[in-house]
Amino acid sequence: MAHDIRIVTEADLRAAVALDLGVVDVIERAFAALAAGGVVMPPILSMDLPEANGEVDVKTAFLPGFDGFAIKVSPGFFDNPAIGLPSLNGLMILFSATTGLVKALYLDNGYLTDLRTAAAGAVAARHLAPEQVETAGVIGTGVQARLQMRAAYLVRPFRRLLVHGRDPGKAAACAAELGQALDVEAEVTTDPAGLVAQSQLVVTTTPAREPVLRAEWLHPGLHVTAMGSDQPGKTEIDPAALIAADAYVCDRVSQCETNGELEAALAAGLWDRDTPPELGAVIAGTRPGRTAPDDVTICDLTGTGAQDTAIASHVFASHPEAGTLIRA
Amino acid sequence: MAHDIRIVTEADLRAAVALDLGVVDVIERAFAALAAGGVVMPPILSMDLPEANGEVDVKTAFLPGFDGFAIKVSPGFFDNPAIGLPSLNGLMILFSATTGLVKALYLDNGYLTDLRTAAAGAVAARHLAPEQVETAGVIGTGVQARLQMRAAYLVRPFRRLLVHGRDPGKAAACAAELGQALDVEAEVTTDPAGLVAQSQLVVTTTPAREPVLRAEWLHPGLHVTAMGSDQPGKTEIDPAALIAADAYVCDRVSQCETNGELEAALAAGLWDRDTPPELGAVIAGTRPGRTAPDDVTICDLTGTGAQDTAIASHVFASHPEAGTLIRA
C-alpha cells in the first residue's frame, strides 16, 4: 500500500534546522529514555573496507515515547578528498515506531549527526558543568569545536573563550568565527594546560590517539566533555583523570568501554570504581553527577543511536513540510 | 558537494524489473564472489521490538567486482495487517563502492528481496539439479512458491508442476497461476511424500518450525532447495536428510549454522562431516556439488547481503533512468 515518504536533502536541512534549545531538549529526552529502560539499541554494525580505504557504520535505537526510530548509515571513504569529495557522507532513515513504514529520508551527509553530537555536549554541560562558566575552552578547531562551543553557550553563556589546536591558523579562524558569532572575547592559546587552568568548562574535540588533557591539569570547579573518541584506540583524556575526577559520566557505558575514554583506563587497570553512571541517569537524578561547585566532572561522549532517533524525530515533527514528497 | 541520487519506488521497480536470466546471472556472480574471498559481509544487525510486535533486520555486503554495495533495511511489524497495512516493507540503499556516496534509494517494500531470493533458487537449480527435470514440486503456496517455480523454470524448463500446501484453496490458486504462466501441467497434491517421489526438483518455501520433508522421501536424482528457513528455530528439512544426501550445500555456512537447516542437524549432533560447501564454491568448481545424475543434493538458502548488493547494482546498471532524480 503506497504511502508518502519525505525526502529531505542536506541543503533543505541546513536551511530549516539549526542548533537551538529545541534540539538540546530532544537530545536530553533521548538520554533520559536510555536510562529509563525499554530502549532497544543494538551494537553498531561496523564494516571496514580496506580495499576502498573506507568504512561504514550503521546505528539505530528504538526509544519508548518517540513516534519513530532512525537508522543511520555513515560511510567514511578516506580517498575522497583527493578527488574533491568529502570523506564523510550518509543519511538517516526515519521509520514509524508503530508500523515500521518509512516516514522520511534525511540525505544529510552528516549534518544531523553534527547537530545531535553538539547537542549532547550541551546536555552534558547543563547537567554537569558549574552553574557559572566565565571562561570556556575548546581543544580542537574543526566543525565540532565550533558547534560544541555554540551548544555550550546555549546552556552556559560564557563571556570568554579559549581555543587550542595543533594548527595555529585553524585555531585563529575558529576563535575569530566563534568570537563574532557568540559576541564573546575569544583567544587562541598554544598552551593547553593554561587553557584548562583558566576554564570552568572544557570540551575536547580531537581524533587524538594520545591524551591531549593531563590529569594534573584538573582543578576544582572544572567540567570536561570529551567528545572526540568514538572508536577503539582513540583517547583524549589521561586515564588517570577519570579516577581523579569526582564524577566520570558515560553517554553509554558499553560504548565507552570499547570506543571511549574508559577503554584506556580499563586496559591500564586503572579503573577501580563501580560501573560509571550514564548521562541519562544523571538527568533522571538516579545517579549523582556534580554534587558541589568545586567538584571535577568529566563526561565521555561516544555518540549513540538514541541521539539519531531523537534528532530525526525532532526534524520530522518540527519541519513537517521540509523536502520533497514521494508516494512509494 | 551535491550529487544526484535516484529515488525509485516499488511501483517503478515492478514496472521495470522482472525475474529473468539477467537477474539470475547477477545473483550467480554474487555467490561466486562470496566464494572467491575479499567479501566483507558483517553479521546481520537484528533488532527485536517486542513493544511494537516488530523486528528490523539490516543486511549488507561489499563484493569485489561490483561498483556499488547495498544496505538493506527490512522492518517486519506484525500488527500491521489488523490496520490494513502489510507486515513487511523496507528499502535498499545503493552506495558507490569507491566513494561511499549514495547512488540510489530503492523503496521496494521487499520486491527486490523477493527477486534476489527467487534468483538464488535458480542458481541452486542450475548448479545442483539434474540436467533433466520433468516434474518440479513446490511445498508452500505464497509469493516465494510462485517466484521459485518461475525462477526454476528459467534454468530447468519442466513440463509438470506439483503444489502442496496446508490450505487447499491457496494451493489450487498457486497451481492455477503457475500452470497458466509457465504453460505447464500443474496439479495440487495433499501428499507431500508423493510430490517428492514424482519430482526431480523440489523447493520448500514455508515458515515451518518442524520438517515438512522427510529423509526417507529422498530418492536418486532428486534436488531439494530449502529457502524458507531464515531465522533460528525455523526448519523445513528433516536433519537426517542432510546426512543422507550426497551433497548438502549452504548459501553461507555461518548463516546456515544459526538460521538455516544446519542448525537443527548440529543441535541433534547429527552433522558428522566436514564444513559443508557453499554455493559459490560449487559454482567456481572448487567444491563438488552434484557428481552424478543419481545423486541427491540439497541446497540451503538463508538469504545473504551479497544478493542484495547484486540485485541493487543490477537494477542501477540495467535501469539507469528509473525513478526520480534528487540532487542532494
Side-chain angles (χ1 to χ4, degrees):
Chain A
M1 183 176 303
H3 71 290
D4 288 336
I5 298 177
R6 203 154 272 289
I7 315 278
V8 192
T9 67
E10 180 186 351
D12 296 332
L13 290 164
R14 287 190 184 273
V17 188
L19 180 62
D20 58 22
L21 282 172
V23 171
V24 174
D25 289 344
V26 77
I27 297 301
E28 182 172 284
R29 267 184 66 209
F31 282 114
L34 263 184
V39 167
V40 185
M41 191 164 79
I44 300 165
L45 184 160
S46 209
M47 180 160 66
D48 269 320
L49 303 172
E51 190 182 302
N53 192 20
E55 64 186 28
V56 183
D57 279 358
V58 182
K59 289 186 181 182
T60 183
F62 181 93
L63 302 181
F66 281 78
D67 293 339
F69 65 95
I71 292 185
K72 179 172 78 175
V73 184
S74 309
F77 278 64
F78 305 105
D79 293 341
N80 280 2
I83 53 169
L85 293 173
S87 294
L88 304 177
N89 43 78
L91 76 166
M92 290 192 194
I93 313 159
L94 182 67
F95 296 86
S96 161
T98 48
T99 67
L101 290 177
V102 177
K103 297 168 73 160
L105 293 158
Y106 295 114
L107 304 166
D108 71 322
N109 295 316
Y111 176 63
L112 295 182
T113 299
D114 285 344
L115 293 188
R116 64 78 151 153
T117 302
V123 174
R126 183 186 266 169
H127 291 277
L128 290 167
E131 285 296 326
Q132 298 299 325
V133 174
E134 174 75 20
T135 301
V138 64
I139 298 180
T141 60
V143 170
Q144 274 298 317
R146 290 162 165 82
L147 285 173
Q148 287 288 340
M149 287 298 104
R150 286 171 182 263
Y153 188 84
L154 292 171
V155 298
R156 291 293 187 271
F158 47 83
R159 290 210 255 171
R160 183 162 168 253
L161 169 67
L162 300 173
V163 179
H164 171 74
R166 285 178 306 180
D167 181 323
K170 288 184 182 169
C174 180
E177 180 185 315
L178 283 168
Q180 184 161 29
L182 302 177
D183 193 18
V184 298
E185 183 186 328
E187 294 167 38
V188 168
T189 172
T190 56
D191 171 23
L195 176 148
V196 175
Q198 296 175 69
S199 301
Q200 294 82 52
L201 167 62
V202 172
V203 183
T204 59
T205 68
T206 75
R209 292 178 172 270
E210 296 293 335
V212 297
L213 192 151
R214 311 296 322 168
E216 56 268 28
W217 301 349
L218 301 180
H219 58 80
L222 174 68
H223 171 71
V224 176
T225 293
M227 60 68 54
S229 178
D230 57 355
Q231 282 177 11
K234 288 190 183 173
T235 183
E236 297 186 290
I237 310 294
D238 186 349
L242 273 49
I243 318 299
D246 297 288
Y248 162 72
V249 177
C250 297
D251 59 355
R252 191 66 165 174
V253 171
S254 56
Q255 292 189 184
C256 292
E257 286 173 346
T258 55
N259 295 14
E261 303 301 333
L262 196 49
E263 184 196 6
L266 289 170
L270 281 174
W271 185 258
D272 57 359
R273 302 189 190 173
D274 290 341
T275 304
E278 294 190 345
L279 183 54
V282 173
I283 293 167
T286 56
R287 292 285 300 267
R290 172 173 297 276
T291 59
D294 276 357
D295 276 3
V296 175
T297 51
I298 298 176
C299 189
D300 188 356
L301 300 177
T302 54
T304 65
Q307 291 159 259
D308 300 321
T309 281
I311 188 84
S313 300
H314 173 71
V315 172
F316 191 82
S318 61
H319 297 87
E321 77 304 333
T324 307
L325 219 53
I326 295 251
R327 195 152 182 85
Chain B
M1 183 176 302
H3 71 290
D4 288 337
I5 297 177
R6 202 155 272 290
I7 315 278
V8 191
T9 67
E10 180 186 349
D12 297 332
L13 289 164
R14 286 190 184 272
V17 188
L19 180 62
D20 58 22
L21 282 172
V23 172
V24 175
D25 289 344
V26 77
I27 297 302
E28 181 172 285
R29 267 184 67 209
F31 281 114
L34 263 184
V39 166
V40 185
M41 192 162 79
I44 300 165
L45 182 159
S46 210
M47 179 160 67
D48 269 319
L49 303 172
E51 190 182 300
N53 191 19
E55 63 185 29
V56 183
D57 278 358
V58 183
K59 290 186 180 181
T60 184
F62 181 93
L63 302 182
F66 282 78
D67 292 340
F69 64 95
I71 292 185
K72 180 171 78 174
V73 184
S74 307
F77 279 64
F78 305 106
D79 293 341
N80 280 2
I83 54 169
L85 293 172
S87 294
L88 304 177
N89 44 78
L91 76 166
M92 290 192 194
I93 313 160
L94 181 67
F95 296 87
S96 161
T98 47
T99 66
L101 290 177
V102 177
K103 298 169 75 160
L105 293 158
Y106 296 114
L107 304 166
D108 72 321
N109 295 317
Y111 176 62
L112 295 182
T113 299
D114 285 343
L115 293 188
R116 64 78 152 152
T117 301
V123 174
R126 182 186 268 168
H127 291 278
L128 290 167
E131 284 297 324
Q132 297 299 325
V133 173
E134 174 74 20
T135 300
V138 64
I139 298 180
T141 60
V143 170
Q144 273 299 316
R146 291 162 165 81
L147 286 173
Q148 287 289 340
M149 286 298 104
R150 287 171 182 264
Y153 188 84
L154 292 172
V155 298
R156 291 291 185 274
F158 47 84
R159 290 210 255 171
R160 184 162 168 255
L161 169 67
L162 300 173
V163 179
H164 171 75
R166 285 177 307 180
D167 181 323
K170 287 185 183 168
C174 179
E177 181 185 316
L178 284 169
Q180 185 161 30
L182 302 177
D183 194 17
V184 298
E185 184 186 328
E187 295 166 38
V188 168
T189 173
T190 55
D191 171 24
L195 177 146
V196 175
Q198 297 175 67
S199 300
Q200 295 82 51
L201 167 63
V202 172
V203 184
T204 59
T205 68
T206 75
R209 292 177 172 271
E210 296 293 336
V212 296
L213 193 151
R214 311 295 322 168
E216 55 269 29
W217 301 348
L218 300 180
H219 58 80
L222 174 67
H223 171 72
V224 176
T225 294
M227 60 67 55
S229 178
D230 59 354
Q231 280 177 14
K234 287 190 183 173
T235 183
E236 296 185 291
I237 310 292
D238 186 349
L242 274 47
I243 317 300
D246 296 288
Y248 162 71
V249 177
C250 297
D251 60 354
R252 190 67 164 172
V253 171
S254 56
Q255 292 190 182
C256 292
E257 286 173 344
T258 55
N259 295 14
E261 302 302 332
L262 197 49
E263 183 197 6
L266 290 170
L270 281 174
W271 186 259
D272 56 0
R273 301 190 191 171
D274 290 341
T275 304
E278 294 191 344
L279 183 53
V282 173
I283 293 167
T286 56
R287 293 284 301 267
R290 173 173 297 275
T291 59
D294 275 357
D295 276 3
V296 175
T297 52
I298 298 177
C299 189
D300 188 356
L301 300 177
T302 55
T304 65
Q307 291 159 260
D308 299 322
T309 280
I311 188 84
S313 300
H314 173 70
V315 172
F316 190 82
S318 61
H319 298 87
E321 78 304 334
T324 308
L325 219 51
I326 294 250
R327 195 152 181 86

